[in-house]
Amino acid sequence: MAQDSAEQASPAASARTLLPTLVPALLVGMVASLILVGVSTAAEQLQDVLWQNLPDALGVGRYSVPWMFVMLFATGVAVGLVVWKVPGHAGPDPASTGLDAPVLPPAVLPGLLLATALMLAGGPSLGPENPIIAVNVSLAVLVGTRAFPGAPERGWVALAEAGTIGALFGTPVAAALIISEALAGERTKGQLWDSVFAPLAAGAAGALTITLVSRPSFDLHLPPFGQPGWGDLLASVVVAAAGAVLGMCVVYAFPFVHGAFGRLRHPMLMLPAGGLVLGALAALGGHLTLFKGLDQIAELARDPDGWSAGEFATMTVVKLAAMLVAASCGFRGGRIFPAVFVGTALGLCAHALVSGVHPAVGVAAGVLGVLLAVTRQGWLSLFVAAVLVVSPGILALLCVASLPAWLLVTGRPFMRLRADGTAAR
């Protein structure tokens, strides 16, 4: 009887524990979202100046080969100067960071934000996720531990990560999935949802804030996909496996390319050199292979039959190489969004090669496979692949396609390096 009473009392005790976390979680999520919006907006304004206003004023083609070389080299010089001269050197080596960001000293954050904005505007193939999460985590820990000295640091880290991820993807679902995956095996009955409660609130606040400000959408509006058939199942399995294999090629090359740039030893050599290589890749793959890739995949999706299989294949390989080079030479940024471009181009290449491969199936499966290899995060990969193609019929295909793709990547390195330069597992 006493045991029954304790079990009945535990929900109320849990509620009294969880409710005080709600307001801090909402505040952290809102602020994390606003920081992301601020950096992204500043980068977009600078991008317009660099890639539209300036070349138009000079009478140079916006995406001509000489201008792409000039801009990517200049971006390497600008970011190199920030890494070299600004206090904190724009944070740790980006090759060693991921979504689980370290807590950085406050002096590092301005330089990291500046390097990120310059990178986003200048055209290297990286997204904002890793550095923005690092900034938000560091600010949340700094303010939170001073305002509430008894609260554990890890709680503020989780809130900032969730708020930023919710803002990045415009929904708290992604944040909940990623945090649940991180907590897998650490909690017993009922405790997982207790642990996710505050981060989910932060993720919701981040998502709602960015939705009110900029209304993001990941739906590519591909041709509608109905009920899946056996051919769709086969296509999803093959394309996802191909994406996983391609992704693993980059993962295995990552330590070697990073080591090659590391031998230059100085950011004013590493980053400009990386900019020149990225300029050559842009000349080969075209302007769609520049930047983080979200606007560019929308352009691809507007006309899935507008490019040949060879052109899609070229963009796939070039974007993959550009992501590898940008992540290796020292540009501050994340690998998720360019990996989405790679998977999208791969899926549309499969559609161009075999007309029976539905564009939605090809894109979703390609994104799933590449993300599994690059991030080794199953829930994130499934979520992003599914959200690009708003169709209930695609979910079952993705769940099945994830199984052989996961077998190809599990137990192997992913695209992140340890302090000694070896690949993390």
Side-chain angles (χ1 to χ4, degrees):
M1 188 69 171
Q3 182 179 358
D4 292 341
S5 299
E7 290 178 355
Q8 291 173 2
S10 62
S14 178
R16 286 196 297 269
T17 303
L18 294 176
L19 279 175
T21 68
L22 193 56
V23 172
L26 295 174
L27 289 174
V28 169
M30 290 171 60
V31 173
S33 184
L34 291 173
I35 290 174
L36 172 63
V37 170
V39 173
S40 299
T41 301
E44 288 168 4
Q45 295 296 320
L46 180 57
Q47 178 182 328
D48 289 342
V49 171
L50 297 177
W51 292 92
Q52 296 181 24
N53 300 344
L54 190 54
D56 289 350
L58 296 174
V60 180
R62 291 180 176 181
Y63 294 106
S64 63
V65 170
W67 190 250
M68 289 192 291
F69 264 105
V70 167
M71 287 311 308
L72 288 162
F73 175 74
T75 301
V77 171
V79 176
L81 283 170
V82 173
V83 175
W84 180 27
K85 290 295 187 180
V86 173
H89 306 291
D93 183 354
S96 65
T97 62
L99 295 180
D100 52 338
V103 179
L104 303 175
V108 175
L109 306 185
L112 181 55
L113 286 173
L114 178 58
T116 303
L118 290 171
M119 181 279 299
L120 291 172
S125 294
L126 293 173
E129 58 274 19
N130 291 3
I132 296 299
I133 288 176
V135 169
N136 286 337
V137 162
S138 302
L139 288 175
V141 169
L142 175 66
V143 176
T145 53
R146 290 183 178 180
F148 302 93
E153 179 179 296
R154 180 59 202 163
W156 296 108
V157 171
L159 294 183
E161 289 178 348
T164 312
I165 293 168
L168 283 165
F169 296 103
T171 170
V173 176
L177 291 173
I178 292 172
I179 291 172
S180 297
E181 189 170 17
L183 293 173
E186 297 183 10
R187 300 288 185 255
T188 57
K189 181 181 178 182
Q191 292 182 338
L192 176 60
W193 278 102
D194 287 346
S195 300
V196 172
F197 178 83
L200 184 58
L208 288 172
T209 301
I210 203 165
T211 299
L212 292 172
V213 172
S214 60
R215 299 186 182 277
S217 174
F218 284 82
D219 183 6
L220 295 180
H221 302 290
L222 289 163
F225 177 71
Q227 293 297 319
W230 291 109
D232 298 317
L233 179 60
L234 176 61
S236 65
V237 169
V238 171
V239 174
V245 170
L246 273 177
M248 288 308 303
C249 291
V250 170
V251 169
Y252 279 114
F254 193 29
F256 300 100
V257 178
H258 180 266
F261 281 106
R263 282 191 281 274
L264 297 176
R265 296 186 179 277
H266 198 284
M268 287 304 295
L269 295 176
M270 295 166 59
L271 284 150
L276 289 176
V277 176
L278 291 174
L281 289 170
L284 178 62
H287 73 279
L288 290 178
T289 59
L290 294 171
F291 306 106
K292 65 181 180 183
L294 284 187
D295 293 337
Q296 290 71 31
I297 62 171
E299 187 170 343
L300 292 180
R302 277 196 292 269
D303 187 10
D305 299 309
W307 290 266
S308 68
E311 289 171 323
F312 279 126
T314 299
M315 285 188 279
T316 300
V317 174
V318 167
K319 188 69 172 182
L320 205 59
M323 177 178 69
L324 172 63
V325 170
S328 299
C329 71
F331 284 109
R332 270 53 180 170
R335 275 81 79 177
I336 291 175
F337 292 120
V340 170
F341 180 98
V342 173
T344 300
L346 173 65
L348 293 176
C349 177
H351 167 68
L353 283 172
V354 181
S355 60
V357 176
H358 194 284
V361 173
V363 166
V367 169
L368 172 67
V370 175
L371 281 178
L372 282 175
V374 171
T375 68
R376 206 56 44 79
Q377 292 182 305
W379 283 125
L380 172 68
S381 304
L382 276 169
F383 168 80
V384 174
V387 81
L388 293 173
V389 182
V390 182
S391 170
I394 212 77
L395 288 173
L397 296 180
L398 292 177
C399 288
V400 175
S402 68
L403 301 178
W406 184 257
L407 291 176
L408 290 171
V409 304
T410 187
R412 294 179 171 85
F414 58 98
M415 200 170 178
R416 183 172 175 179
L417 301 182
R418 299 189 182 98
D420 60 1
T422 60
R425 290 179 180 267

